[in-house]
């Protein structure tokens, strides 16, 4: 709030001030965390002291701005809007409010949260720094960490994970504001800006993700900020220093949040470069240098951590071969484009018209098969598909945040593009043309650089969000307000099911987040393991052991098959008892062979919790550092071993 006041003035759109405040806050969070990590002092006292000092400093800056007359205290004026617009904005508000409630009531419970998003957070809190550590799952180390860094601060200050999901929720809110502002920058009137907000707020994938600890909406927000800053620079012959700083920070934060940030940001950065290189010539070195310095400042420490372990700053870990195409050709690229689009093709079920209209997914799947015949590409070619044989045609309606599609929104995007092409007045708008090309290039890059995966639609979220501004602009300039209102209402009504029936965090199902205990909600996706996990924790509580080893799988190559985070939650329910955890790895595991960066060199587990696949027999004995551990308790898939 203080940052918003510092950035805002009556001449500036308040939404732009919100985005600037968000970017500045993101930079502060990053630098603060890296500073504390450098000295191994990521603790409650230091985090609290640093934020208190920051708020006092920002408060002093605000006071000076007021005293010198550069800022004034005033109540923002509420613009006059029509009753229809008020209803539409109320619908957006209801979606945001419901999503926020879900995010706070429900704990993190997605598969990725249990294996690495939340697991890496508790390791950092225990270790008091962000340095890489021995782990069974490399995703805890190599992936960009910004979203989890924010969760780290929230978890330390609140003493739990109650607010962990809000990172995505706030990112959604910021993105909704951002795309409405971008729509204005592109030339949309108030109706177009409101429709852009409705379009963004009702994205099924966005609604489902906004109450989780995934990071797709977090990276999306930074790319929205990047697009906004680039559009702001275009009227100037030389980009102002403040906007150049914003571009560097937005781009840096996007990459620091998720590796897909490289793909989303690349077309926009090319746009910025080409726009100014002709008119600035050799003077272009100055904004490029500023952007590069800010970008590297935000990412350098993570690059160095990866380089020290993998000899690569942006290491794609052992499983990267599963996601990187093994062949690059026009036919396989076209195959990936078609199959990526098909993830959003079930329009009939999305609209709830399957009782009136026969679903078209079968016909679409057949058409895709025919096209692949002409291309000469196997529809499940393992070189461009992961896992093998995972593409089964057009997926149906889903309430899973990993695979949900946005069919109605895709249809509206195609319609907007067709209108844009047909109307010369729109085509002559150079900024809009390049903006759309940037979004299309981002999508084409995803199809070129990633194998098709069942959960690929997650990677499309940022593109759909940014298209909101374009759709709002095109519709407001070509259709009357009644058609736009009807479309907006349809979007709001059809989005309700995704708010109410989230597969991981439902609020309208018979078993929902309000009548289920928080402990049970952690295991929503795998209810069959709640008993062995709980029983194992209860057994450990009967012992005096606090030095606990985690043997999560015996494979040489780390994987994400085993849930780690629930052990931290269940075993740390007693705040008076501090447990320490460390991964016990296969001796041939890459991470076991690396020099340890763990702070507890003298770690000697008094118990080892071993988790294996259901088909594997319980672990009867383990040898670790010349000590023999034997089975003391077992309930598939968990075994607890203690020194003989």
């Amino acid at each position: 709030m203080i940052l918003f006041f510092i950035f805002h003035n009556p001449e500036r759109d308040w939404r732009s001030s919100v985005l600037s405040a968000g970017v500045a806050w993101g930079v502060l969070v990053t630098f603060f965390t890296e500073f504390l990590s450098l000295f191994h002092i990521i603790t409650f006292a230091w985090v609290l002291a640093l934020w208190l000092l920051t708020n006092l400093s920002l408060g002093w800056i605000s006071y000076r701005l007021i005293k010198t007359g550069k800022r004034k205290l005033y109540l923002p004026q509420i613009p006059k809007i029509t009753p229809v617009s008020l209803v539409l904005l109320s619908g957006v508000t209801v979606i945001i409010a419901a999503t926020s409630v879900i995010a706070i009531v429900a704990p993190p419970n997605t598969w990725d949260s249990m294996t690495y998003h939340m697991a890496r957070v508790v390791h950092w809190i225990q270790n008091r720094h962000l340095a890489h550590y021995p782990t069974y799952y490399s995703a805890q180390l190599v992936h960009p960490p910004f979203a989890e860094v924010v969760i780290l601060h929230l978890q330390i200050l609140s003493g739990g994970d109650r607010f962990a999901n809000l990172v995505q929720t706030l990112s959604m809110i910021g993105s909704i504001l951002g795309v409405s502002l971008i729509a204005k920058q592109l030339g949309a009137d108030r109706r177009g800006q409101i429709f852009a907000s409705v379009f963004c707020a009702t994205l099924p994938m966005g609604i489902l993700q906004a109450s989780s600890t995934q990071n797709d909406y977090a990276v999306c927000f930074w790319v929205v900020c990047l697009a906004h800053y680039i559009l702001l620079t275009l009227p100037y012959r030389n980009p102002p220093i403040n906007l150049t700083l914003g571009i560097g920070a937005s781009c840096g934060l996007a990459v620091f949040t998720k590796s897909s940030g490289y793909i989303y940001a690349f077309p926009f950065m090319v746009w910025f470069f080409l726009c100014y290189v002709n008119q600035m010539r050799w003077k272009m070195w100055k904004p490029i240098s500023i952007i590069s310095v800010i970008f590297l400042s935000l990412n350098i420490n993570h690059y160095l951590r990866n380089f020290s372990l993998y000899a690569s700053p942006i290491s794609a870990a052992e499983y990267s071969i599963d996601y990187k195409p093994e062949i690059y050709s026009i036919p396989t690229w076209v195959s990936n484009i078609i199959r990526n689009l098909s993830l959003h093709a079930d329009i009939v079920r999305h609209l709830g018209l399957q009782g009136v209209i026969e679903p078209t997914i079968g016909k679409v799947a057949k058409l895709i098969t025919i096209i692949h015949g002409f291309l000469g590409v196997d529809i499940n070619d393992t070189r461009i598909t992961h896992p093998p044989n995972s593409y089964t045609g057009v997926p149906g309606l889903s309430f899973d945040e990993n695979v949900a599609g946005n069919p109605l929104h895709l249809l509206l995007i195609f319609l907007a593009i067709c209108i844009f092409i047909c109307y010369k007045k729109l085509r002559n708008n150079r900024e809009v043309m390049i903006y759309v090309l940037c979004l299309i290039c981002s999508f084409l890059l995803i199809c070129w650089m990633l194998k098709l995966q069942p959960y690929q639609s997650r990677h499309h979220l940022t593109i759909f969000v940014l298209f909101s501004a374009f759709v709002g602009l095109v519709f407001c300039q070509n259709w009357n307000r009644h058609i736009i209102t009807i479309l907006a209402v349809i979007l709001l009504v059809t989005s309700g099911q995704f708010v109410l029936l989230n597969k991981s965090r439902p609020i309208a199902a018979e078993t929902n987040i309000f009548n289920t205990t928080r402990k049970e909600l952690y295991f929503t996706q795998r209810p069959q393991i709640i008993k062995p996990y709980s029983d194992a924790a209860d057994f450990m509580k009967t012992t005096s052991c606090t030095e606990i080893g985690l043997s999560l799988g015996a494979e040489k190559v780390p994987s994400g098959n085993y849930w780690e985070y629930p052990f931290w939650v269940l075993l740390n329910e007693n705040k008076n008892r501090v447990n320490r955890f460390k991964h016990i790895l296969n001796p041939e595991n890459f991470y076991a062979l690396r020099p340890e960066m763990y702070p507890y060199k003298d770690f000697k587990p008094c118990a080892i919790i071993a988790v294996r696949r259901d088909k594997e027999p319980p672990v009867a004995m383990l040898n670790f550092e010349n000590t023999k551990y034997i089975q003391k308790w077992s309930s598939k898939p968990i075994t607890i071993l203690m020194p003989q």
Side-chain angles (χ1 to χ4, degrees):
M1 183 61 73
I2 301 177
L3 281 170
F4 170 78
F5 178 78
I6 291 174
F7 282 105
H8 188 54
N9 61 67
E11 291 75 34
R12 187 180 188 185
D13 192 300
W14 66 273
R15 291 169 293 184
S16 181
S17 301
V18 170
L19 298 188
S20 296
V23 171
W25 179 82
V27 171
L28 288 176
V29 169
T30 302
F31 286 161
F32 286 171
T33 311
E34 294 290 1
F35 170 78
L36 296 175
S37 176
L38 182 65
F39 297 99
H40 296 189
I41 53 174
I42 298 181
T43 63
F44 173 80
W46 277 100
V47 171
L48 179 62
L50 203 52
W51 281 115
L52 287 175
L53 179 62
T54 300
N55 283 318
L56 288 173
S57 301
L58 293 175
W60 172 252
I61 293 172
S62 300
Y63 168 74
R64 294 299 303 171
L65 289 173
I66 295 172
K67 190 172 182 179
T68 56
K70 296 180 179 179
R71 294 291 184 274
K72 294 181 179 179
L73 292 174
Y74 63 92
L75 292 175
Q77 293 182 345
I78 301 176
K80 295 180 180 180
I81 58 176
T82 65
V84 172
S85 297
L86 181 60
V87 170
L88 297 181
L89 290 177
S90 297
V92 172
T93 303
V94 168
I95 292 174
I96 292 173
T99 304
S100 302
V101 170
I102 296 170
I104 294 173
V105 173
N109 62 2
T110 61
W111 191 289
D112 284 350
S113 298
M114 301 297 101
T115 57
Y116 89 89
H117 286 305
M118 296 303 298
R120 72 196 311 199
V121 170
V122 286
H123 274 289
W124 293 336
I125 293 174
Q126 173 183 266
N127 301 350
R128 300 184 180 183
H129 59 64
L130 304 181
H132 290 347
Y133 50 87
T135 174
Y136 85 107
Y137 190 29
S138 52
Q140 294 183 11
L141 309 181
V142 299
H143 287 323
F146 179 80
E148 293 87 349
V149 164
V150 178
I151 295 174
L152 167 73
H153 284 254
L154 294 173
Q155 190 138 337
I156 287 176
L157 294 175
S158 67
D161 58 20
R162 175 67 68 177
F163 305 113
N165 294 326
L166 287 180
V167 176
Q168 286 268 98
T169 309
L170 293 173
S171 297
M172 177 185 74
I173 296 171
S175 297
I176 292 171
L177 292 175
V179 295
S180 69
L181 178 58
I182 291 174
K184 177 183 178 182
Q185 291 178 277
L186 294 176
D189 58 18
R190 185 168 293 170
R191 284 185 297 120
Q193 295 171 49
I194 292 174
F195 188 83
S197 299
V198 172
F199 188 97
C200 179
T202 55
L203 285 163
M205 175 58 77
I207 292 172
L208 296 172
Q209 276 219 26
S211 59
S212 76
T213 54
Q214 300 282 23
N215 52 15
D216 296 279
Y217 232 138
V219 68
C220 172
F221 174 68
W222 302 126
V223 181
V224 168
C225 293
L226 175 63
H228 166 62
Y229 281 123
I230 288 178
L231 286 169
L232 280 180
T233 64
L234 296 182
Y236 298 92
R237 286 191 57 82
N238 296 324
I241 184 70
N242 62 315
L243 299 182
T244 305
L245 290 171
I247 290 172
S250 300
C251 186
L253 288 168
V255 169
F256 191 54
T257 302
K258 194 176 180 72
S259 295
S260 57
Y262 291 102
I263 298 175
Y264 305 135
F266 179 73
F268 286 101
M269 295 308 299
V270 170
W271 181 12
F272 174 78
F273 179 80
L274 294 179
C275 179
Y276 283 102
V277 69
N278 285 332
Q279 57 194 43
M280 294 187 67
R281 304 285 180 179
W282 63 272
K283 293 181 180 180
M284 190 67 185
W285 71 268
K286 184 175 181 181
I288 292 297
S289 298
I290 293 173
I291 291 171
S292 299
V293 168
I294 298 297
F295 178 92
L296 286 174
S297 298
L298 292 167
N299 288 277
I300 187 65
N301 286 306
H302 184 63
Y303 287 163
L304 291 175
R305 287 189 288 268
N306 277 344
F307 190 84
S308 68
L309 189 60
Y310 297 97
S312 172
I314 52 175
S315 167
E318 297 85 355
Y319 50 80
S320 64
I321 192 173
D322 296 330
Y323 305 110
K324 183 180 179 181
E326 300 165 44
I327 180 174
Y328 295 94
S329 68
I330 297 301
T332 56
W333 191 21
V334 173
S335 169
N336 266 350
I337 292 171
I338 293 171
R339 293 184 301 158
N340 270 271
L341 290 173
S342 74
L343 300 178
H344 309 280
D346 191 9
I347 184 69
V348 175
R349 286 197 178 93
H350 177 86
L351 294 173
L353 299 175
Q354 59 269 28
V356 181
I357 305 173
E358 181 183 354
T360 59
I361 57 175
K363 294 181 177 64
V364 174
K366 186 174 181 179
L367 177 61
I368 292 172
T369 302
I370 293 172
I371 294 174
H372 276 73
F374 283 111
L375 293 172
V377 177
D378 183 352
I379 201 169
N380 262 304
D381 190 328
T382 56
R383 297 172 299 175
I384 55 172
T385 309
H386 177 77
N389 300 313
S390 59
Y391 183 72
T392 57
V394 180
L397 181 68
S398 175
F399 299 100
D400 187 331
E401 65 203 87
N402 295 303
V403 298
N406 309 307
L408 179 55
H409 294 75
L410 180 63
L411 179 63
L412 294 178
I413 288 172
F414 278 137
L415 184 58
I417 291 174
C418 291
I419 295 173
F420 178 78
I421 294 172
C422 293
Y423 284 83
K424 185 177 181 181
K425 181 181 177 181
L426 283 170
R427 290 201 313 272
N428 289 341
N429 189 325
R430 187 166 176 268
E431 290 182 6
V432 178
M433 174 69 79
I434 299 176
Y435 179 83
V436 173
L437 289 176
C438 285
L439 301 185
I440 294 174
C441 286
S442 294
F443 175 72
L444 295 178
L445 283 172
I446 287 175
C447 297
W448 178 259
M449 299 179 68
L450 297 176
K451 288 183 177 180
L452 183 81
Q453 307 149 29
Y455 40 87
Q456 191 86 321
S457 58
R458 283 174 48 190
H459 298 307
H460 302 161
L461 177 61
T462 297
I463 299 171
F464 274 96
V465 168
L466 287 167
F467 257 118
S468 304
F470 171 72
V471 175
L473 167 70
V474 172
F475 287 177
C476 80
Q477 291 195 0
N478 291 276
W479 287 349
N480 66 51
R481 66 179 188 276
H482 301 299
I483 296 177
I484 295 176
T485 300
I486 291 171
L487 281 176
V489 170
I490 292 174
L491 287 171
L492 289 169
V493 171
T494 56
S495 70
Q497 58 190 327
F498 299 98
V499 175
L500 300 173
L501 299 174
N502 187 314
K503 181 180 177 181
S504 300
R505 297 168 296 280
I507 60 176
E510 183 177 350
T511 301
N512 56 66
I513 63 173
F514 300 114
N515 61 15
T516 307
T517 66
R518 191 170 179 84
K519 178 179 175 181
E520 292 173 314
L521 288 172
Y522 282 108
F523 298 90
T524 299
Q525 293 196 2
R526 298 181 70 191
Q528 71 276 12
I529 66 171
I530 183 172
K531 189 176 189 310
Y533 269 73
S534 299
D535 291 347
D538 290 339
F539 174 81
M540 287 301 305
K541 291 173 184 177
T542 64
T543 72
S544 59
C545 177
T546 57
E547 306 278 302
I548 303 170
L550 296 174
S551 175
L552 305 179
E555 300 96 327
K556 178 181 176 181
V557 178
S559 65
N561 293 313
Y562 310 99
W563 282 23
E564 176 184 353
Y565 183 64
F567 286 124
W568 293 78
V569 173
L570 297 172
L571 289 170
N572 287 322
E573 290 177 325
N574 182 0
K575 301 297 182 182
N576 296 322
R577 175 172 170 169
V578 179
N579 295 297
R580 293 197 300 174
F581 297 85
K582 180 182 176 181
H583 287 281
I584 308 299
L585 304 173
N586 182 313
E588 297 183 22
N589 185 300
F590 171 77
Y591 299 94
L593 299 174
R594 303 297 297 178
E596 287 195 2
M597 301 182 73
Y598 200 83
Y600 306 112
K601 300 289 186 180
D602 58 343
F603 185 88
K604 185 74 172 179
C606 48
I608 296 177
I609 299 177
V611 183
R612 298 292 184 266
R613 298 177 188 270
D614 290 338
K615 294 181 179 179
E616 297 181 52
V619 182
M621 185 268 293
L622 276 176
N623 284 311
F624 179 69
E625 294 185 349
N626 301 319
T627 301
K628 185 176 183 180
Y629 291 79
I630 61 173
Q631 181 184 124
K632 292 295 184 180
W633 179 93
S634 181
S635 177
K636 272 196 171 186
I638 302 173
T639 303
I640 296 178
L641 306 99
M642 292 184 170
Q644 187 174 21

